[in-house]
Amino acid sequence: MTVMAGLATLAGSVGLYPLFLGGQWAWHALGAVIATALGAVAVRRLRIPAVFDPLGPAVALLLYCTLAFTPGRALLGIVPTPSSLHGLGDLLSEGLSTANRYAAPVPDERGVHLLVTLGVGMIATVVDLLAVRLRRAAPAGLPLLAMYSVPAAIREHGVNWIAFGLGAAGFLALLMADARESVGGWGRMVFSPRWHEEAPAERDAPDVSTLATTGRRIGVAAVAVAVLVPMAVPGVHPRGMFGGKGTGGGGGDSARTVTTPDPMVSLSRQLTNPDDGVVLTYQSDDTDRPDYLRLYALDRFDGDRWTYSVASRAQDRLTGGPLPPPPGLSVAATRTVNTRIKVNKDLRDLQFLPMPYAPTQVRIKGDWRVHAPSLMVYSLHDGVGGRTFSVTSRRVLPSAADLQSGGGYTSDMLTEFASLPKSVPDKVRQIAVQVTKGAHTPYDSAVKLQSWFTDTGGFRYDLTVGTPEHGSDLLDFLTVDKRGYCEQFAAAMAVMARTLGIPARVSVGYTSGKQVSPGQWEVRGRDAHAWPELYFDGAGWMRFEPTPAGATGQGTATEPSYSLAADGPGTNGDGPSGRQPLPSSSAGPGARPTSGAHFRNDLPGNGGQATPVRKKHKGGPGYTPWIAAGTLIVLLLAAAPAVRALTRRRRWSAALEPPPGPETSR
């Protein structure tokens, strides 16, 4: 059973493969399983009380970690010393930092190896305790399942069916081994006289071959059903059975809600790689620097994150003709731009087209559709990876007068794009009003907001801060930390604009990238970006750039020329971008993000800078949850043997107590 418990843990750990770039972690996982198994055997051989069972694997795991990671600081290379323990602590901090900084797959580093060793070792300890010591093999499947829940929670497609099948086979083998030992523990069979004529070998043990065969068939059938059924059930597998077109691509008139993973999370999983590879290349005939390439327009804010909702209909399909007109664009001048885009094949799971706003015609093969209110172009089952397509767009060239007079909003526009949940603190609006003091039009306010973020507000571009988790984080970003990357800046400006009654949304995509030859541009992972778009009647949705740019900011971000307007009608003496810093509480040492767009992971900011932290707890490196989880696991491990020992003692006491009789009754 000890061997089978270890093998089941190893089979389950295969499901962790999508989380790492290399394969060195697997050897450390093997070492952790062997060490914990030896520690568990030693405890049982020494007949140590069951309540102390977890101590054996824990000590063995510590010895293995010392030998594998800090042998130079240990006594005889394996016995822990204060210096070796300190080294393990530093390495653990490095591993946590790497895990937080990178989206999966993370680099194959020593700190990450230590995290894997400790995690797999803890799982192996729990599985051994349940299956071997407590003889509860079925519940041992829960910690094994926990190893699959990690990649399933942070990756869009979880693990493949082969990895799942290996883990399931390991668990089934553990169950069969437990059943075999249970049957063997019944002792020799008792036969009636009619069986005396049978051979002695046939009387020694029961024939369970038929039961074993039936059990194996049931196990294989259960695994097959678990793997194949999700592929065939409509809506469960996005690409249908075996990667086909799935459902929902038919020609019915009924609307279908388009759902995708969180935009920033999906992008970061594919683009936040250390090599910062090329995402796409494009050719543009724009006479100026091309505008950003937008993927998503997030127009709904629930207090914690920005999202979007698209109801797809058959009539939304692209036919090669003109797209719906850009909302609100009726007065401002425009320039026609033709762009031909070639997307890297690694983006095969991306189902939205990156293209400049506002597109008027898209030429691409396949079933692609357009969402008229936002002009997002998407597919229900096709990916954009490896495709080349052409886009004709209208680049808006508004004058200051166009934007100054664009503040006449309808009640429907304000209800849909300027509403905020009650959870947004009132202080946010107070800050927005103070920052835009002296502005007489929505355009003046927008310019002042952008200038405050980029120049006068004391904000810094920083990829090491955490991602937003709660609505209260917005106020911390604006008044305390003042550090973040495009996610925080874009979301914060959009929320502040809405508090002032300006329709706003958050867009996600890429900056224009870097020009490699005349008319030829290259976009890399570090060029992924988020920015706010504000609405002005007559010009439509206009991009603003609150994220600091250049060497100390997002390297390829650019502020639109119309957002840097000089003094104009309706402004005070400082002009629409007058510098008015906000008096606020002094910046603290903590680093907490805004609540704006809850994307978990932004994308790399600029060349040479680290990729962003996915989650970092305020006030420290995040040890508290690990300590709490470890304490809880130790308590759970200790509770079961203790209860069992107490129950056994009570049963023995009851069995040894003399029964009541005439002697005792007198």
Side-chain angles (χ1 to χ4, degrees):
M1 283 299 295
T2 301
V3 174
M4 293 309 301
L7 291 177
T9 304
L10 283 177
S13 68
V14 174
L16 299 175
Y17 78 93
L19 304 180
F20 313 100
L21 285 176
Q24 187 65 28
W25 65 272
W27 296 106
H28 289 290
L30 173 62
V33 171
I34 294 176
T36 53
L38 293 177
V41 170
V43 169
R44 288 190 282 271
R45 291 292 184 182
L46 296 175
R47 299 185 180 278
I48 296 176
V51 68
F52 299 110
D53 257 21
L55 293 181
V59 172
L61 185 61
L62 176 60
L63 294 176
Y64 172 75
C65 290
T66 303
L67 178 64
F69 298 101
T70 57
R73 300 186 182 186
L75 184 63
L76 301 178
I78 191 172
V79 180
T81 63
S83 178
S84 68
L85 293 176
H86 187 270
L88 289 176
D90 292 341
L91 205 57
L92 182 61
S93 297
E94 294 177 7
L96 291 173
S97 177
T98 300
N100 287 332
R101 181 178 299 117
Y102 295 97
V106 299
D108 205 25
E109 299 176 352
R110 285 172 53 82
V112 174
H113 296 163
L114 179 58
L115 283 178
V116 174
T117 302
L118 295 176
V120 174
M122 292 174 61
I123 296 295
T125 300
V126 177
V127 172
D128 184 90
L129 176 66
L130 292 173
V132 183
R133 184 71 174 194
L134 302 182
R135 307 298 303 184
R136 297 292 186 269
L142 295 178
L144 295 176
L145 183 62
M147 286 192 286
Y148 286 94
S149 67
V150 177
I154 67 177
R155 293 185 76 250
E156 182 178 350
H157 299 298
V159 298
N160 63 31
W161 67 272
I162 297 178
F164 173 79
L166 288 175
F171 178 56
L172 291 175
L174 180 64
L175 291 178
M176 288 191 295
D178 178 69
R180 189 180 299 109
E181 287 205 3
S182 297
V183 172
W186 293 345
R188 296 173 59 87
M189 290 186 65
V190 178
F191 300 95
S192 62
R194 64 177 180 172
W195 288 324
H196 286 330
E197 300 300 326
E198 297 179 1
E202 297 177 355
R203 301 197 307 264
D204 287 342
D207 183 9
V208 295
S209 59
T210 303
L211 292 176
T213 301
T214 302
R216 284 191 291 268
R217 290 174 179 173
I218 293 175
V220 172
V223 173
V225 169
V227 171
L228 297 178
V229 167
M231 297 183 181
V233 174
V236 174
H237 198 279
R239 292 183 175 274
M241 193 168 187
F242 303 112
K245 292 188 176 183
T247 61
D253 293 333
S254 60
R256 176 184 176 187
T257 300
V258 178
T259 57
T260 63
D262 196 320
M264 273 298 188
V265 176
S266 298
L267 288 175
S268 63
R269 286 170 180 163
Q270 302 175 47
L271 305 178
T272 53
N273 291 323
D275 58 0
D276 187 37
V278 175
V279 176
L280 59 88
T281 58
Y282 67 94
Q283 181 179 1
S284 174
D285 62 3
D286 201 339
T287 55
D288 297 327
R289 183 182 182 90
D291 206 357
Y292 290 179
L293 305 175
R294 193 196 64 172
L295 281 165
Y296 308 99
L298 314 180
D299 54 16
R300 295 188 177 185
F301 183 62
D302 62 9
D304 290 329
R305 64 190 185 117
W306 287 88
T307 59
Y308 71 93
S309 178
V310 174
S312 180
R313 303 168 301 174
Q315 54 264 41
D316 295 333
R317 283 195 180 96
L318 298 183
T319 60
L323 301 183
L329 178 56
S330 59
V331 176
T334 62
R335 178 172 64 233
T336 300
V337 176
N338 295 296
T339 309
R340 185 170 179 81
I341 302 172
K342 182 178 181 179
V343 182
N344 190 298
K345 63 180 180 180
D346 293 335
L347 296 185
R348 58 185 179 276
D349 294 324
L350 185 62
Q351 294 176 278
F352 282 65
L353 296 185
M355 54 188 180
Y357 187 84
T360 59
Q361 188 176 24
V362 178
R363 292 168 292 278
I364 185 172
K365 295 181 179 180
D367 180 12
W368 293 85
R369 308 186 179 194
V370 59
H371 181 239
S374 64
L375 295 180
M376 292 187 293
V377 176
Y378 61 92
S379 176
L380 295 175
H381 46 71
D382 289 333
V384 71
R387 291 178 178 266
T388 300
F389 61 97
S390 300
V391 180
T392 299
S393 58
R394 296 172 64 185
R395 184 165 186 175
V396 185
L397 305 172
S399 65
D402 294 335
L403 300 178
Q404 290 284 4
S405 61
Y409 304 126
T410 64
S411 58
D412 291 342
M413 176 62 68
L414 293 175
T415 299
E416 186 172 2
F417 297 108
S419 61
L420 289 171
K422 295 181 179 180
S423 59
V424 176
D426 293 337
K427 181 66 174 176
V428 175
R429 184 180 184 279
Q430 297 174 14
I431 295 173
V433 170
Q434 187 170 0
V435 170
T436 60
K437 184 178 180 182
H440 299 283
T441 66
Y443 170 60
D444 296 343
S445 298
V447 173
K448 284 179 176 288
L449 285 176
Q450 175 180 286
S451 178
W452 183 62
F453 281 112
T454 58
D455 296 327
T456 63
F459 289 88
R460 290 192 296 117
Y461 185 81
D462 190 349
L463 285 170
T464 64
V465 300
T467 52
E469 296 179 346
H470 307 289
S472 59
D473 294 338
L474 171 61
L475 195 58
D476 289 339
F477 171 71
L478 295 175
T479 61
V480 180
D481 299 329
K482 294 195 172 185
R483 295 187 300 133
Y485 41 93
C486 61
E487 174 183 348
Q488 285 88 344
F489 286 99
M493 181 171 173
V495 171
M496 294 178 73
R498 286 195 173 192
T499 65
L500 299 174
I502 306 174
R505 65 190 186 189
V506 172
S507 289
V508 180
Y510 307 94
T511 65
S512 53
K514 180 181 179 181
Q515 188 174 19
V516 293
S517 63
Q520 299 286 339
W521 296 77
E522 182 180 84
V523 175
R524 292 182 171 271
R526 62 172 175 246
D527 299 319
H529 196 45
W531 62 91
E533 290 182 347
L534 278 57
Y535 182 86
F536 300 93
D537 192 32
W541 290 100
M542 303 302 300
R543 175 177 70 87
F544 283 78
E545 186 53 89
T547 304
T552 59
Q554 217 287 4
T556 54
T558 56
E559 295 174 305
S561 58
Y562 53 79
S563 69
L564 303 172
D567 297 352
T571 65
N572 60 11
D574 292 331
S577 58
R579 309 307 189 213
Q580 294 179 333
L582 171 71
S584 63
S585 57
S586 59
R592 289 189 63 184
T594 178
S595 78
H598 185 198
F599 299 135
R600 291 185 58 185
N601 253 28
D602 194 6
L603 305 177
N606 65 54
Q609 295 202 30
T611 50
V613 172
R614 181 165 57 245
K615 182 175 181 181
K616 186 174 181 179
H617 296 277
K618 182 178 179 181
Y623 291 123
T624 302
W626 289 85
I627 295 175
T631 304
L632 179 61
I633 290 175
V634 171
L635 291 176
L636 290 175
L637 293 177
V643 170
R644 187 176 181 184
L646 181 61
T647 303
R648 186 186 298 111
R649 178 174 296 181
R650 288 180 177 178
R651 289 176 178 173
W652 277 108
S653 299
L656 296 177
E657 183 178 351
E663 297 290 335
T664 57
S665 62
R666 288 196 300 269

